[in-house]
Amino acid sequence: PSKITFQTLRCKHLMQAESGRASAAVKFDAEKISGSSSRTGKLDLNPVKGTRDMYPEDMRLRSWLFSKFKTVAANFSFEEYDAPVLESESLYIRKSGEEVTQQLYNFVDKGDRRVALRPEMTPSLARMVLLKRNALNFPLKWFSLPQCWRYERMTRGRRREHYQWNMDIWGVKGIEAEAELLAAIVNFFESVGLDSSDVGLKVNSRAILSEVLLQLKVPASKHAATCVLIDKLEKIELSALKGEIEALDIDQTAIEKLVEITKEKSLESLEEMLGKNSSALSDIRRLFSLSEAYGYKDWLTFDASVVRGLAYYTGVVFEGFDRCGKLRAICGGGRYDELLDSFGGESIPACGFGFGDAVIIELLKEKNLLPDLKKSSVGSLVFAFEESLQAAATS
C-alpha cells in the first residue's frame, strides 16, 4: 500500500507540473498501478488486416523484385527520389468522385492538422516539383519505390498497404515520353521471364473521350468527373450510378453513348466518328508507330474501355494486364499535364506509371518464374568449438 500511495502521489505531482496534461508514460504508469484490464488480455500477434510482416525470406523476395525495378530505371537513366509517407490530406482530396478520396488512412494529428498516409505517389511528386520548379532542370526522369496505403476491399493481389514502383517524365509534351515508359515496363517484364503471350498493355486516351464528350455537348469542366464515373463501370452496373449521373447534370443518353464508345477496339471506327484530324487519335497512332521501333508492338492493344480512375489524367492512359484474365491490372498510368493547375501552379507536361509489388508476385507464382530464395545468402560460417578459441574465431 505504501508503494502504491507513493506512486500515486508521484503521478499526481507530475500531472500538476504539466498543468493537467499527463505524458503518455505517466498515464501508462498509472494504468499499470490500477491494474487496468485493457492491458491484461491476450495480444493479437497477427499484423493489422490488410498489412503483412516481412520475414527474412520475404525480404529476400522483395529485395530481388526491387533490384529488378531499379535496374530497369537505371537502364533508362531515371533518378531515384522519395517523399514522406505522411502528407497533408488536402493533397488527395478532390471533387471528382474518385474512390481514393474515400480510401484514405487520414486523421487529425496532435498539431490539429488533417493528414493522411499517401495512397499514391504522384501528388507528392507534383508537390515536390512545384516547390522547386525554378531550380530543376527539365526534362525530369524520376523513379521511386514508395509504400502506399488505401483502405479498400482486399482481393488477390490487392492489400491495404503495398509498395509501388513509380516512373515519371516531366517536361516532355510529345508521345515519345509515353513510348519510353511503356518500353521500360516491357523491359521489366522480359527481365523476369514474361513475354507478350503472358502479359499485354492496353492503351487508350482520355483526349479521345474528351473529343467524344464535346460532340455530346458535355462541357469540358465535367470531362474528368465523367471519366471517373465511366471507370467505375468495370465494377458496377450503369443503373447503380444513376445518382452520380444526376449530380453531374449530364444527359443519360450522353452517358449511354459514351459507354458504347468505350467498347470500341478499333481506331478505324473511332476515326469515323471523330474525323481524320483528331489529335487524340493521331497520338495513339504515333504511339503504335514508336512501339514498333522499340520492338514491343506485339505487347500493345487499343482498348477504349481503359479510362483509369484518377481525375487528373488528360491524355494517353494504359494498363498492364494478365492475358489469362485471372488477375487485376498489373500496372497502369498515363499523361497528367494539368495536375499542377489543381495545386495552384503553372502546368508542366508530365506522364508516369505505378507498378505494384503484389499482383506481379502473384503472376510470377502462377507462371512458376519466382527465383529460389529460400536459402540465406550466407556462404560459410566460422565458430569456436570452445570458449578459449572465441577471440581467434572472431578475428
Side-chain angles (χ1 to χ4, degrees), residues 266-375:
S266 165
L267 289 174
E268 287 71 24
S269 298
L270 285 174
E271 188 176 276
E272 292 178 10
M273 172 180 287
L274 300 177
K276 293 183 178 181
N277 295 325
S278 165
S279 60
L281 287 177
S282 177
D283 279 346
I284 292 291
R285 292 189 188 282
R286 172 69 173 153
L287 179 60
F288 273 87
S289 175
L290 289 172
S291 72
E292 188 169 14
Y294 269 109
Y296 63 81
K297 187 176 181 180
D298 56 327
W299 294 72
L300 293 193
T301 179
F302 174 76
D303 188 334
S305 70
V306 176
V307 180
R308 304 296 294 165
L310 295 170
Y312 53 66
Y313 288 121
T314 57
V316 168
V317 286
F318 51 85
E319 285 184 358
F321 68 99
D322 162 30
R323 290 196 186 273
C324 291
K326 296 181 180 179
L327 299 166
R328 60 187 293 264
I330 304 167
C331 60
R335 180 163 287 274
Y336 52 94
D337 287 348
E338 300 171 7
L339 181 56
L340 289 191
D341 291 353
S342 64
F343 293 172
E346 185 180 344
S347 63
I348 299 175
C351 59
F353 68 79
F355 195 126
D357 67 332
V359 177
I360 187 62
I361 291 297
E362 292 295 324
L363 179 59
L364 293 176
K365 283 180 184 176
E366 191 86 21
K367 302 292 184 181
N368 197 29
L369 290 172
L370 287 177
D372 182 7
L373 300 170
K374 293 179 181 178
K375 295 181 180 180

Side-chain angles (χ1 to χ4, degrees), residues 44-53 103 105 117 147-155 158-162:
D44 183 358
L45 300 179
N46 293 309
V48 174
K49 188 175 182 179
T51 66
R52 53 193 160 161
D53 294 320
Q103 296 171 347
Y105 277 89
L117 297 179
Q147 186 181 36
C148 300
W149 297 80
R150 289 192 186 187
Y151 194 88
E152 59 182 340
R153 185 175 64 87
M154 293 179 295
T155 59
R158 184 193 293 265
R159 301 186 180 92
R160 290 175 177 170
E161 63 82 19
H162 69 282

Side-chain angles (χ1 to χ4, degrees), residues 104-295:
L104 291 176
Y105 277 89
N106 52 346
F107 56 95
V108 178
D109 71 7
K110 294 180 181 180
D112 203 31
R113 294 172 290 258
R114 295 202 62 85
V115 295
L117 297 179
R118 65 178 170 226
E120 53 161 331
M121 195 62 162
T122 307
S124 293
L125 172 58
R127 177 184 60 75
M128 292 171 64
V129 171
L130 186 57
L131 183 65
K132 292 191 174 183
R133 65 178 297 163
N134 293 332
L136 296 172
N137 294 316
F138 292 91
L140 306 178
K141 295 173 65 176
W142 288 3
F143 85 96
S144 61
L145 291 165
Q147 186 181 36
C148 300
W149 297 80
R150 289 192 186 187
Y151 194 88
E152 59 182 340
R153 185 175 64 87
M154 293 179 295
T155 59
R156 185 184 179 192
R158 184 193 293 265
R159 301 186 180 92
R160 290 175 177 170
E161 63 82 19
H162 69 282
Y163 285 86
Q164 189 177 76
W165 175 37
N166 289 262
M167 288 179 63
D168 295 82
I169 298 175
W170 285 68
V172 177
K173 292 181 180 180
I175 201 71
E176 297 82 10
E178 286 93 332
E180 182 173 351
L181 291 173
L182 290 168
I185 292 172
V186 170
N187 185 260
F188 167 79
F189 284 139
E190 291 176 337
S191 76
V192 295
L194 295 168
D195 59 35
S196 59
S197 66
D198 302 310
V199 175
L201 292 162
K202 299 176 183 177
V203 298
N204 188 24
S205 176
R206 283 280 186 93
I208 289 176
L209 298 180
S210 287
E211 289 183 13
V212 172
L213 287 168
L214 286 174
Q215 287 192 3
L216 296 172
K217 309 302 182 184
V218 177
S221 61
K222 296 182 179 181
H223 288 187
T226 304
C227 286
V228 170
L229 187 148
I230 293 298
D231 182 69
K232 294 180 180 180
L233 294 176
E234 185 180 1
K235 303 173 185 175
I236 56 179
E237 295 293 326
L238 180 60
S239 58
L241 296 173
K242 183 179 179 180
E244 294 183 57
I245 294 171
E246 291 175 351
L248 280 174
D249 193 25
I250 296 176
D251 188 72
Q252 179 77 18
T253 56
I255 294 293
E256 291 172 356
K257 180 66 175 176
L258 189 60
V259 170
E260 286 300 312
I261 294 296
T262 61
K263 296 177 182 178
E264 287 290 346
K265 310 293 183 191
S266 165
L267 289 174
E268 287 71 24
S269 298
L270 285 174
E271 188 176 276
E272 292 178 10
M273 172 180 287
L274 300 177
K276 293 183 178 181
N277 295 325
S278 165
S279 60
L281 287 177
S282 177
D283 279 346
I284 292 291
R285 292 189 188 282
R286 172 69 173 153
L287 179 60
F288 273 87
S289 175
L290 289 172
S291 72
E292 188 169 14
Y294 269 109

